[in-house]
């Protein structure tokens, strides 16, 4: 690896050598239209809009205008083929077979549907294991699903706590909890990348530990898809679901995705909720009374999809396809190392004693900085200086430079400004 130097010109050099540098041009950067581009580090929250999204949406609107309902079946670009195009692109990011992916609904809805199929309590094997500080909607989905089955969520959910409250839950904590409750766990359900700390869980290791005790295992990949490299099929994950509005840049409320391991596609012991869009393609429009599921993950679809949301996702996935997923992951690693390199000096400085980086070393775009004091004041000043970041209770600034539209120079500028702002707020003990 190249030896980093702590200068702005070095950052500019990294940008000029970056094979993905031109992809920034494909996105609408906030503030750029008034010649005052913001530094957008919120790809972990809502990714930026690809310039092509409008064209993709317009194509659907034009098809609708010209052909009405015939657009579902008419011609090569017919709507009925859209799903298979999207699953092919998505399967690369998920590390799955195309037939293991379905593009449908939104994330919390999909968590409920996956629980319907993969939470299979039996005898004393009834518990669901999750990490503490999972995203709130995951708790709401799990708790309400358990209540719906007539059980008490408090007696079913095992929340894995970290060894020390100063640290995020780590892989070891999860594995120990799986082994400690080996005979009672029906399902392990973990966020692949924790939304608060940015910690990337070892999905392969957790999946294998869950299997060894006879539990099923699923992941919420909202903060993982389009961020880290995934091999869901090879890691033998049973199911996973995600949203597409963060690192996938498919817009607010974008259509979500699920992965279901192929071994379940035609397994009659797996229950599911059904709707006509999950019916076998060849008979879907013949209006039969009894349900026959499509023999792959699309058999879990319920309703007519939004072609407009499909268009937004296609616009975005086409950029990943052009850039090459491997290249995106490479740049993500380089950006993270650059950020860590600059941050390490800040953390060692006197004023740096006000904060800790709670994101463990490893993969992923996100960095979470926990403040012991003046965090909100520092955050407000960074926002005024043109950085778009977010604040998460308690006392955390999250930021996520992403490979497709952020630059090494933006990371440099951020770290330089952070040090200046910290110095202003530092009070000697
Ligand atoms: C980890 C995680 N899970 C679930 C959700 C909820 O997603 P949705 O609003 O698409 O249901 C989010 C939203 O940000 C999230 O970050």
């Amino acid at each position: 690896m190249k030896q980093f130097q702590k200068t702005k010109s070095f950052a500019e050099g990294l940008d000029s050598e970056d094979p993905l540098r031109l992809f920034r041009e494909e996105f609408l950067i906030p503030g750029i239209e008034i010649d005052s581009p913001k530094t957008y580090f919120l790809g972990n929250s809502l990714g930026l809009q690809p310039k092509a999204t409008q064209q993709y949406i317009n194509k659907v609107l034009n098809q609708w205008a010209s052909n009405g309902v015939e657009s579902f079946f008419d011609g090569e670009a017919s709507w009925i083929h859209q799903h298979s195009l999207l699953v092919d692109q998505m399967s690369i990011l998920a590390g799955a077979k195309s037939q293991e992916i379905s593009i449908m609904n939104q994330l919390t809805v999909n968590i409920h549907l996956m629980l319907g199929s993969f939470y299979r309590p039996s005898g004393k094997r009834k518990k669901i294991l999750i990490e503490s500080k999972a995203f709130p909607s995951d708790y709401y989905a799990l708790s309400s699903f358990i209540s719906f089955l007539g059980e008490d969520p408090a007696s079913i959910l095992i929340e894995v706590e970290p060894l020390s409250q100063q640290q995020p839950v780590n892989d070891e904590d999860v594995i120990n909890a799986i082994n400690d409750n080996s005979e009672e766990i029906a399902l392990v359900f973990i966020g692949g990348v924790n939304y608060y700390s940015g910690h990337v869980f070892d999905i392969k290791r957790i999946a294998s530990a869950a299997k060894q005790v006879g539990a099923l295992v699923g992941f919420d990949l909202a903060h993982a898809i389009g961020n880290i490299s995934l091999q869901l099929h090879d890691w033998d994950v049973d199911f996973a679901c995600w949203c597409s509005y963060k690192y996938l840049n498919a817009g607010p409320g974008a259509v979500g995705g699920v992965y279901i391991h192929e071994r379940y596609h035609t397994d009659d012991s797996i229950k599911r909720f059904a709707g006509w869009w999950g019916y076998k393609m060849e008979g879907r429009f013949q209006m039969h009374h009894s349900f026959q599921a499509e023999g792959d993950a699309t058999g879990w679809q319920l309703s007519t999809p939004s072609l407009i949301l499909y268009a937004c996702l296609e616009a975005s996935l086409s950029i990943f396809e052009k850039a090459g997923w491997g290249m995106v992951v490479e740049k993500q690693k380089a950006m993270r190392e650059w950020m860590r390199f600059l941050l390490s000096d800040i953390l060692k400085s006197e004023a740096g004693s006000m904060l800790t980086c709670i994101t463990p070393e490893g993969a992923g775009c996100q960095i979470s900085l926990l403040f012991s004091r003046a965090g909100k004041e520092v955050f407000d000043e960074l926002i005024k200086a043109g950085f778009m970041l977010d604040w998460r209770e308690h006392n955390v600034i999250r930021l996520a430079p992403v490979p497709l539209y952020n630059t090494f120079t933006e990371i440099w500028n951020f770290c330089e400004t952070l040090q200046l702002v910290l110095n202003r707020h530092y009070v000697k003990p």
Side-chain angles (χ1 to χ4, degrees), residues 106-109 111 135 137-138 195 220 222-223 243 245-246:
Q106 274 79 23
L107 174 51
T108 309
V109 174
I111 294 176
F135 192 79
S137 202
D138 294 25
Y195 82 99
D220 172 344
H223 291 264
C243 55
Y245 44 79
K246 298 177 186 298

Side-chain angles (χ1 to χ4, degrees), residues 104-115 241 256-258:
M104 59 191 212
N105 313 313
Q106 274 79 23
L107 174 51
T108 309
V109 174
N110 286 333
I111 294 176
H112 279 284
L113 294 179
M114 293 300 103
L115 288 174
C241 33
V258 301

Side-chain angles (χ1 to χ4, degrees), residues 100 232-233 236-239 259-265:
E100 292 175 317
L232 298 180
H233 178 87
D236 206 19
V237 170
D238 292 311
F239 72 92
Y259 150 90
I260 299 168
H261 193 285
E262 64 183 350
R263 77 172 74 87
Y264 300 113
H265 295 173

Side-chain angles (χ1 to χ4, degrees), residues 407-427:
T407 66
F408 292 90
T409 308
E410 285 180 310
I411 296 175
W412 164 269
N413 289 338
F414 170 76
C415 289
E416 197 185 36
T417 311
L418 176 64
Q419 181 76 75
L420 291 173
V421 176
L422 288 174
N423 291 347
R424 272 203 291 280
H425 286 274
Y426 179 64
V427 185

